[in-house]
Amino acid sequence: MRSDRFEVFVDMRTQIAVPPVPLARIRTAAARSNAGVRPRRAGFIASLIAGAGVVVVTVGAGVWSEARILFPSSGGVKIVSDYTEFSMLPPPVEKVQAAVRAANFPVILPSGFPGSDRPTRMATFGKRAIYAIYLGYKIRDARPRSGIAFILSRADAMDSAQHPNGVVDAPFGGSFFTGTPPGGHRIIWKIGGESVLVLRGTATSAELSAIHRAMLAQAPR
Amino acid sequence: MIDLPVEQIEAARAGDPSDIDRLIETIWPDAYRLARAILGESHAAEDAAQDACVIVYRTISSLREAAAFRVWLYRIVVRAASEIKRRRARREPEIVDVATSSDESIRIDVWRALATLPPGLRTIIVLRYFEELSSREIAAVLRIPDGTVRFQLMIGRRRLRPLLAETPPPSFLSTDEVKFNAI
């Protein structure tokens, strides 16, 4: 129930002079954030994924039109792409499916986990199409930064001979990080037309074998 | 108080830019006023309202149901205002615009009194008394328990009461009506 005092506040609210809506600026800002990349977050994304031993470098459009996966001599893994999307939250099933549909390679999603097959993290790389997908999963009750992660890509995306190993133009402030996957192991599987880089983490050999078998048994989506 | 027809929200959710434009034009005054009440300063409020509208523009199509729009929008504006406040606090002292009305000192005193509250408490007071949200709605907007909201409201009223006790009544209110604990 409203009191008279309450009316004073409401009255004050209506007395606030409102400037005109800057619709053009709002539209432009919205379009810019949709089209690009979220420059302010580039370093943040890189640091998050770096925790799993992966480096994301977002480079300017026109420098690279797709994603490349590099193995720098300093260690870790580096993904070079013109566009990166990363979510800290477990991605909804629809988002994973959308990424699979937008991928330019026949995607076979990791499966055969001892627990849930739902990823807890996802990043996609590539602007016009998705050239690589990073997926993180929990193994049992793994703590953050453990579990297992996969980088799915077209088989030729991991051909490190074709891309630069030094200076990469990073106009949006993408940072370089180095690291080693938790557990210190990485494995590459070829499954159909897909390359699967496995950042083993806390998965046991038996669990890895089960995942590999389950993926081989799948048809591409 | 933000209250829009469901049809307008549904139309914007469908993604047509002209419908989203109309929605932004409709929500702008509410978003600005809420930000202004939280921040106490017009330039910062304009920045916060604009940031909030950009988020609405970009993500309205992902809103699951039109019924959730109100709480969703409040949450976006509150967060945008908090972010602006956090950014500005690093580099400049708080500015409080008090000259919102030419003739009523009570309004000036209420603005000043609000400015003395810590940001979280001020947000709760603003949502309750400016926006007329129930404690349950505030809890949904801020994602905190209802009991916490009620407790904070009690604290806020207690802190504001002495500051407003000497406030002269505006011409349209009696002295009794100005007592803050009548809320």
Side-chain angles (χ1 to χ4, degrees):
Chain A
M1 193 167 141
R2 287 163 43 147
S3 70
D4 292 325
R5 183 64 184 190
F6 198 95
E7 296 281 2
V8 174
F9 277 84
V10 175
D11 187 45
M12 280 172 56
R13 181 185 184 281
T14 57
Q15 293 287 327
I16 295 172
V18 178
V21 53
L23 197 53
R25 264 186 301 179
I26 290 169
R27 267 198 228 114
T28 308
R32 198 182 299 142
S33 357
N34 278 339
V37 210
R38 307 179 188 166
R40 283 179 295 180
R41 293 190 184 171
F44 181 57
I45 291 166
S47 64
L48 280 171
I49 298 189
V54 179
V55 176
V56 178
V57 179
T58 306
V59 302
V63 180
W64 288 101
S65 60
E66 56 185 70
R68 295 288 190 193
I69 296 160
L70 315 178
F71 304 99
S73 55
S74 51
V77 181
K78 182 158 71 182
I79 302 174
V80 182
S81 168
D82 61 343
Y83 186 81
T84 304
E85 265 194 29
F86 180 77
S87 169
M88 288 177 68
L89 299 172
V93 174
E94 302 79 39
K95 198 163 182 182
V96 177
Q97 288 169 346
V100 169
R101 280 195 300 275
N104 76 335
F105 60 96
V107 177
I108 294 173
L109 289 173
S111 59
F113 296 95
S116 168
D117 278 3
R118 283 198 62 183
T120 54
R121 286 181 183 185
M122 182 172 81
T124 56
F125 303 91
K127 193 168 188 177
R128 283 175 297 183
I130 289 179
Y131 295 94
I133 304 172
Y134 167 93
L135 292 165
Y137 295 82
K138 280 189 174 180
I139 292 278
R140 298 173 300 275
D141 292 322
R143 288 176 300 172
R145 296 178 132 202
S146 57
I148 187 168
F150 299 83
I151 299 167
L152 315 177
S153 67
R154 212 170 55 191
D156 60 3
M158 290 197 203
D159 180 5
S160 61
Q162 291 181 24
H163 36 73
N165 278 316
V167 179
V168 176
D169 183 17
F172 299 122
S175 304
F176 290 83
F177 287 84
T178 56
T180 312
H185 300 285
R186 60 177 188 236
I187 303 156
I188 296 176
W189 294 335
K190 301 281 182 189
I191 300 179
E194 179 185 68
S195 277
V196 182
L197 174 61
V198 187
L199 307 173
R200 178 176 171 171
T202 54
T204 63
S205 299
E207 286 163 346
L208 275 179
S209 299
I211 294 166
H212 192 202
R213 276 197 306 274
M215 290 181 76
L216 285 171
Q218 279 185 63
R221 303 184 187 205
Chain B
M1 186 168 180
I2 299 167
D3 203 6
L4 295 182
V6 173
E7 299 75 33
Q8 189 177 3
I9 301 164
E10 290 290 4
R13 275 179 66 210
D16 186 321
S18 60
D19 288 325
I20 302 178
D21 282 359
R22 267 194 292 280
L23 182 80
I24 296 295
E25 282 168 343
T26 311
I27 64 171
W28 171 257
D30 290 313
Y32 175 80
R33 286 187 177 120
L34 174 56
R36 170 72 177 73
I38 292 172
L39 293 165
E41 199 254 306
S42 50
H43 293 299
E46 198 167 350
D47 287 348
Q50 186 179 313
D51 287 355
C53 286
V54 169
I55 293 170
V56 170
Y57 207 104
R58 280 180 44 224
T59 58
I60 181 71
S61 54
S62 65
L63 182 67
R64 287 187 185 162
E65 49 181 321
F69 180 80
R70 191 160 169 261
V71 165
W72 181 70
L73 178 59
Y74 274 121
R75 189 177 297 145
I76 289 172
V77 177
V78 167
R79 282 185 182 169
S82 305
E83 176 62 20
I84 293 281
K85 191 171 187 70
R86 193 178 59 77
R87 260 188 264 154
R88 293 199 167 202
R90 286 194 202 143
R91 53 175 206 262
E92 58 195 40
E94 184 174 25
I95 300 165
V96 181
D97 291 348
V98 291
T100 54
S101 173
S102 59
D103 55 350
E104 293 182 31
S105 59
I106 185 169
R107 295 197 174 120
I108 294 173
D109 286 341
V110 171
W111 285 121
R112 284 183 178 146
L114 278 173
T116 66
L117 298 178
L121 193 52
R122 178 172 170 159
T123 300
I124 290 175
I125 291 285
V126 164
L127 289 172
R128 177 70 186 91
Y129 296 114
F130 279 69
E131 298 295 326
E132 302 181 272
L133 266 58
S134 68
S135 61
R136 193 169 293 178
E137 287 173 312
I138 296 169
V141 169
L142 301 178
R143 290 184 166 151
I144 56 177
D146 187 17
T148 305
V149 173
R150 287 169 186 274
F151 181 72
Q152 292 287 314
L153 284 171
M154 185 192 73
I155 300 283
R157 282 195 292 264
R158 195 173 285 172
R159 288 187 62 163
L160 286 175
R161 196 179 297 139
L163 296 169
L164 295 170
E166 301 302 319
T167 302
S171 56
F172 53 88
L173 291 177
S174 72
T175 307
D176 288 344
E177 287 169 328
V178 178
K179 284 180 184 166
F180 198 84
N181 58 7
I183 293 168

